[in-house]
Amino acid sequence: MARPGFTHNTARMEDAVKVFCGIDWSEHHHDVALVDDTGTPLAQCRITDDATGYTQLLSLLTEYGDSPAHPIPVAIETSRGLLVAALHNGHRQVFAINPLAVARYRDRHTVSRTKSDRADALALAHILRTDMHRHRPLPDDSDQAKAITVLARAQQDAVWNRQQIANQARSLLREYYPAALEAFQSRKGGLTRPDARQVLTMAPTPAQAARLTLAQLRRALTRAGRSRNIDTDAHQLHALFRTSRPRQPAPVEHAMGRQLLALLTQLDAACQATDDLTTAVDEHLRTHPDAQILLSFPGLGPQLAARILAEMGDDHTRFCDARGLKAYAGSAPITRSSGKKRYVGRRHIKNDRLCHAGHLWAFASLSASPGAKAHYQRRRDHGDWHAAAQRHLFNRFLGQLYHCLQTRQPYNEEQAFGPTP
């Protein structure tokens, strides 16, 4: 007798029959479908997104033969979340299928372009039944690598958020307080500098800045952690803030000052979050077995190395060869050929975070590695634009990194690029 909420096929599966599971997930519930190797639906149900629903799902899988020795593979349209974590244990293969690919498979089963959650769950199960060999299961990364992934992505998001708020503050200052931009924007860190935030918090309007004394400016710089050139900078700020400039009407200037204080509050929080996550990333990375190999490469500091590790993972069987890693990162070119036409260009379907980290890595390596700089220059002389030359350099570094991780040896400049002329 079928349990409430479950639809079962009348014919029970035999032990030898292969079973495939598809899950169409959403925020509050998930639709589940099981099919056998002939395409016959075995069971369909809807579970809730809580512990009860997860227990129902695992019980259903067990009923149809799921065991530690023979786990049922699962296809789902996401690689994150508690549901995926609950499924991706032991040796079960979980396949994160791109929603665009699922949409293409859906058209194989209906031409009317109808769509439902139950049908999508079935489509996901059929993807594994027919084309499981063409899709990549989630890697078997260690818990330590997963923790680094969370922290590295959070740190990168925090950096982007900090810069976004700083850009908003910069745009606001241009409208009423150009002296502040002249004072801090040209320095490293710009408005995210502790001394810039401290001074602007104390004097958010040009009128207030003009009334600051040298002693107040010295104390503000000291509170921001400055210990050098305090007197020199205090005199420069004092003179700059007293320079005659065009001004907004007093009520408008006061209102803009209140807006700036609100942005500075957000910027302080964003800077603190970035600093905390940067420290956490550094601590977690240095305890990972792959850290010394990654940090041996020129241009890779702790943060960039953590981002590379976060996107690659530490499952060294994830990619069959270096070409798979290069395609995943988007550094390998893609070829489109039809008839007499042939086009070779950059790859658009890629891991965007890994590609972004690779761009920074290639740029930083130019000043840290003579071989990398010479390789980059050869590509430019060959006719590549700057971005293409950097992408080619990143592509070469990925091949070297793959080799070093497989052989467990650090980077060697002479082996990587040959003897320096």
Side-chain angles (χ1 to χ4, degrees):
M1 179 177 177
R3 298 195 303 275
F6 287 76
T7 302
H8 290 262
N9 188 281
T10 54
R12 292 298 301 272
M13 56 163 284
E14 301 297 333
D15 293 340
V17 174
K18 187 70 174 177
V19 179
F20 307 91
C21 177
I23 301 177
D24 183 77
W25 72 280
S26 67
E27 185 174 347
H28 302 293
H29 63 265
H30 315 293
D31 283 85
V32 181
L34 272 66
V35 301
D36 63 16
D37 52 3
T38 65
T40 303
L42 299 174
Q44 287 185 275
C45 69
R46 172 169 287 186
I47 62 173
T48 54
D49 185 46
D50 53 23
T52 301
Y54 301 160
T55 301
Q56 289 178 335
L57 173 60
L58 295 177
S59 298
L60 179 65
L61 294 176
T62 301
E63 182 177 347
Y64 280 89
D66 183 78
S67 66
H70 302 285
I72 293 176
V74 177
I76 190 170
E77 291 178 303
T78 181
S79 61
R80 305 170 63 183
L82 287 174
L83 176 61
V84 175
L87 290 169
H88 193 207
N89 55 26
H91 299 285
R92 178 183 288 112
Q93 289 184 313
V94 177
F95 295 79
I97 310 296
N98 189 295
L100 291 177
V102 178
R104 301 298 183 272
Y105 275 99
R106 189 188 304 127
D107 292 340
R108 295 173 57 182
H109 301 280
T110 176
V111 295
S112 62
R113 304 189 70 82
T114 58
K115 183 186 183 304
S116 69
D117 295 341
R118 288 168 57 91
D120 283 354
L122 271 175
L124 284 161
H126 284 300
I127 288 174
L128 295 187
R129 180 180 68 86
T130 59
D131 293 328
M132 187 169 72
H133 63 287
R134 300 186 65 86
H135 294 276
R136 181 171 52 222
L138 292 180
D140 190 19
D141 293 328
S142 67
D143 291 342
Q144 187 178 10
K146 293 176 183 178
I148 292 174
T149 299
V150 172
L151 291 172
R153 289 178 177 177
Q155 194 272 345
Q156 187 176 35
D157 290 341
V159 170
W160 289 340
N161 182 53
R162 181 186 64 184
Q163 190 59 50
Q164 183 181 33
I165 299 172
N167 290 342
Q168 292 175 7
R170 176 183 176 276
S171 296
L172 177 62
L173 289 171
R174 287 184 68 254
E175 296 183 18
Y176 84 107
Y177 199 172
L181 289 180
E182 187 176 339
F184 301 111
Q185 189 65 29
S186 61
R187 300 188 181 189
K188 183 178 180 181
L191 297 178
T192 64
R193 295 169 56 91
D195 53 353
R197 290 181 277 128
Q198 186 69 236
V199 171
L200 291 177
T201 300
M202 185 170 58
T205 66
Q208 292 171 298
R211 293 195 296 267
L212 291 176
T213 65
L214 284 172
Q216 289 175 319
L217 287 169
R218 291 192 191 97
R219 287 196 296 270
L221 295 177
T222 302
R223 285 196 300 270
R226 292 282 301 275
S227 59
R228 301 175 58 184
N229 300 324
I230 292 179
D231 287 337
T232 302
D233 287 352
H235 279 87
Q236 289 178 351
L237 291 173
H238 187 261
L240 184 62
F241 289 153
R242 290 172 179 266
T243 303
S244 178
R245 298 171 184 270
R247 297 267 293 273
Q248 293 277 5
V252 177
E253 183 178 282
H254 178 73
M256 289 183 167
R258 294 293 296 270
Q259 183 182 0
L260 178 63
L261 287 175
L263 286 173
L264 289 173
T265 300
Q266 299 178 50
L267 187 57
D268 286 339
C271 290
Q272 184 61 53
T274 301
D275 293 342
D276 292 344
L277 288 168
T278 298
T279 301
V281 167
D282 187 274
E283 292 173 351
H284 279 71
L285 174 70
R286 294 188 185 280
T287 61
H288 194 278
D290 292 344
Q292 294 305 314
I293 296 176
L294 285 161
L295 293 174
S296 68
F297 277 76
L300 275 188
Q303 301 306 312
L304 265 185
R307 293 180 190 180
I308 297 291
L309 177 61
E311 303 309 322
M312 287 178 50
D314 61 357
D315 180 2
H316 297 153
T317 64
R318 179 178 186 178
F319 302 101
C320 297
D321 51 30
R323 290 181 300 176
L325 173 59
K326 294 174 180 179
Y328 179 68
S331 63
I334 189 171
T335 302
R336 292 186 176 91
S337 179
S338 177
K340 297 181 179 180
K341 296 181 179 180
R342 187 172 183 271
Y343 166 78
V344 179
R346 64 187 181 93
R347 191 178 295 262
H348 294 276
I349 305 301
K350 59 188 182 299
N351 183 310
D352 290 332
R353 288 183 182 267
L354 182 55
C355 182
H356 180 267
H359 175 80
L360 298 177
W361 179 11
F363 183 77
S365 69
L366 297 179
S367 58
S369 167
K373 185 175 182 179
H375 179 83
Y376 168 83
Q377 192 58 51
R378 282 196 300 270
R379 296 305 307 178
R380 292 303 305 273
D381 295 341
H382 186 264
D384 285 354
W385 292 89
H386 168 72
Q390 282 204 155
R391 188 164 56 249
H392 197 281
L393 178 58
F394 174 45
N395 193 61
R396 180 155 181 170
F397 269 135
L398 280 181
Q400 297 163 358
L401 178 59
Y402 181 86
H403 172 77
C404 289
L405 289 173
Q406 294 294 326
T407 59
R408 310 306 302 171
Q409 58 179 313
Y411 171 82
N412 184 292
E413 177 82 6
E414 187 170 338
Q415 292 181 1
F417 292 102
T420 304

